[in-house]
Amino acid sequence: MYCKLSLGAKMAATMSNVDEIRNRVILGEFDIKNVHTTDYPGNYPGYDDTWNLQKFQKNFRIDVVQMDETSLEFDMVGIDAALANAFRRILLAEVPTMAVEKVLIYNNTSIIQDEILAHRLGLIPIKADPRLFEYRSAGDEEGTEIDTIQLQLKIKCTRNPRATKDSADPRELYLNHMVYSKDMKWAPIGNQADVFADANIGPVHGDILLAQLRPGQELDIVMHCVKGIGQDHAKFSPVATASYRLLPEITLMETVEGEKAERLKRCFSPGVIEVENHGGKVVAKVVNSRLDTCSREVLRHDDLKNAVKLARVRDHFIFSVESTGILAPDVLVTEAIKVLMTKCQRFLCELDSTEME
């Protein structure tokens, strides 16, 4: 009976260790364990790791944690890192936007060189829904109302006749001496004035400084905005940042009390560890592992490093998406999913065509 119990205990311990290897990334003092995915078919006896649609649908979920006009945080659970990273890369480089592609400079007497000014204009986010436009055809230099947005920047600096004689403030001495992105005005092409009457096309932010002028200096510029993707140029990227991290998991291996509890709390980000009074004793408790930055500060303390286990859940991704303002972050995520679906469909079509050959 004793031998059977021992064997059963060993098997349970082995299964527990295998589950940890499969599902957790372990943060050690000098290394990180279980980094690579290993749950592929046939690798673990007793585990059925063949891909199953019903199983995937049961385990996969997306939970929106926080969302506002420009940022979105959500959890994507139940997928492999390869898919999560593909989704992140699509957000960065394959969701299209409208951006300044061609700059026609008719007059520039400012101190900024034409090339530098054109580069600055190209990086201004343009508030226009790219889904309403087509890609410009290769070799088309002029563009039409279905694939081009035209913006105009025409401004001249003059002296302020109402400025006081002893004033030294440029804001009082000059008029139009600061050129901002709000000075970029939309010049409709064809029937765009009717089609996009309520679109309010123009720069996303009006307070981006483009140049400084002095009396007599002026700018006369026409810009053509086209549809593109970040893979071609970073100016087309619809996000300021798009990143993910694995969900942290912190486990206390033993009871931590007194001064050690207070020190343990200080080793983590605020809100991760809290201390509670139990029967007159101060005891540490894990409150919210999600807030941890995984700094591993606790592993520097010899009397604490064995009291806590640091891990990350392998298939739980915390996504952070910050839009440039061109499209709402939830729209960007939806468009990225559509791009990924299109890629998958194209791959399946290629497989079918190969099999037919």
Side-chain angles (χ1 to χ4, degrees):
M1 184 66 178
Y2 174 76
C3 293
K4 290 182 179 180
L5 287 176
S6 298
L7 181 61
K10 289 182 179 179
M11 291 182 63
T14 302
M15 294 292 287
S16 176
N17 187 48
V18 170
D19 287 338
E20 180 180 284
I21 294 174
R22 289 163 53 87
N23 303 320
R24 296 294 184 270
V25 177
I26 306 300
L27 306 181
E29 185 174 4
F30 301 107
D31 61 351
I32 302 177
K33 301 177 182 177
N34 310 337
V35 175
H36 303 290
T37 302
T38 57
D39 55 346
Y40 45 85
N43 194 37
Y44 295 103
Y47 287 85
D48 182 15
D49 288 319
T50 55
W51 195 85
N52 182 277
L53 179 60
Q54 287 73 28
K55 181 180 177 181
F56 174 78
Q57 291 176 335
K58 179 181 178 181
N59 296 331
F60 178 75
R61 73 177 195 271
I62 294 179
D63 302 323
V64 177
V65 177
Q66 178 271 333
M67 182 175 68
D68 55 32
E69 293 182 353
T70 59
S71 63
L72 171 66
E73 180 179 325
F74 64 93
D75 293 357
M76 187 178 287
V77 185
I79 61 171
D80 189 75
L83 281 176
N85 192 48
F87 183 72
R88 180 191 66 86
R89 290 172 64 92
I90 290 173
L91 274 171
L92 288 169
E94 297 188 58
V95 175
T97 64
M98 304 294 289
V100 174
E101 176 71 8
K102 180 179 287 187
V103 179
L104 307 175
I105 302 178
Y106 295 103
N107 193 6
N108 174 21
T109 54
S110 71
I111 64 171
I112 301 181
Q113 297 93 334
D114 291 353
E115 295 83 358
I116 302 300
L117 183 58
H119 184 262
R120 291 177 68 85
L121 293 171
L123 295 177
I124 302 296
I126 304 300
K127 185 73 172 179
D129 192 338
R131 296 170 293 181
L132 304 178
F133 294 87
E134 302 292 335
Y135 287 99
R136 180 183 283 190
S137 302
D140 186 359
E141 296 294 332
E142 298 299 325
T144 63
E145 64 269 15
I146 65 172
D147 58 28
T148 303
I149 295 174
Q150 182 171 286
L151 301 175
Q152 188 172 18
L153 176 61
K154 192 169 185 177
I155 190 169
K156 183 176 182 179
C157 179
T158 58
R159 293 188 180 275
N160 184 6
R162 299 182 180 180
T164 58
K165 293 182 179 180
D166 56 347
S167 175
D169 188 353
R171 292 172 296 182
E172 185 178 351
L173 287 174
Y174 312 128
L175 299 176
N176 298 326
H177 77 290
M178 303 283 278
V179 183
Y180 292 99
S181 53
K182 64 183 178 182
D183 297 314
M184 300 166 60
K185 305 299 182 182
W186 176 41
I189 302 175
N191 64 346
Q192 287 183 347
D194 298 325
V195 176
F196 305 114
D198 301 325
N200 194 25
I201 294 176
V204 174
H205 307 286
D207 58 349
I208 302 175
L209 182 64
L210 300 176
Q212 294 189 35
L213 305 179
R214 286 299 179 262
Q217 296 180 347
E218 62 180 307
L219 296 174
D220 188 0
I221 301 172
V222 172
M223 294 149 279
H224 289 176
C225 305
V226 300
K227 186 175 181 179
I229 57 176
Q231 196 172 33
D232 296 331
H233 195 286
K235 65 185 178 184
F236 291 111
S237 181
V239 294
T241 59
S243 61
Y244 65 79
R245 61 190 179 98
L246 294 178
L247 178 70
E249 183 181 74
I250 301 172
T251 306
L252 294 181
M253 308 303 292
E254 60 186 55
T255 303
V256 182
E257 301 176 346
E259 182 273 337
K260 291 174 63 177
E262 294 288 350
R263 191 149 40 90
L264 180 66
K265 176 183 176 180
R266 294 195 296 270
C267 289
F268 293 91
S269 304
V272 176
I273 303 288
E274 295 293 341
V275 292
E276 297 180 348
N277 196 322
H278 286 175
K281 294 183 179 180
V282 176
V283 180
K285 178 184 178 182
V286 179
V287 177
N288 190 354
S289 299
R290 184 189 185 92
L291 301 177
D292 185 38
T293 59
C294 297
S295 65
R296 295 188 280 181
E297 170 68 19
V298 66
L299 301 180
R300 298 176 60 190
H301 300 258
D302 293 333
D303 57 341
L304 291 177
K305 63 182 180 182
N306 293 324
V308 63
K309 185 177 183 179
L310 305 179
R312 288 192 170 192
V313 183
R314 183 187 297 281
D315 65 346
H316 191 136
F317 299 87
I318 302 174
F319 270 87
S320 297
V321 179
E322 182 181 345
S323 170
T324 58
I326 297 174
L327 293 173
D330 57 324
V331 176
L332 292 179
V333 170
T334 303
E335 291 301 308
I337 292 174
K338 291 179 181 179
V339 173
L340 184 58
M341 291 171 62
T342 303
K343 284 176 172 286
C344 295
Q345 190 61 46
R346 188 184 303 123
F347 179 68
L348 291 176
C349 292
E350 289 291 336
L351 287 179
D352 292 338
S353 63
T354 303
E355 289 177 357
M356 291 178 62
E357 293 175 358

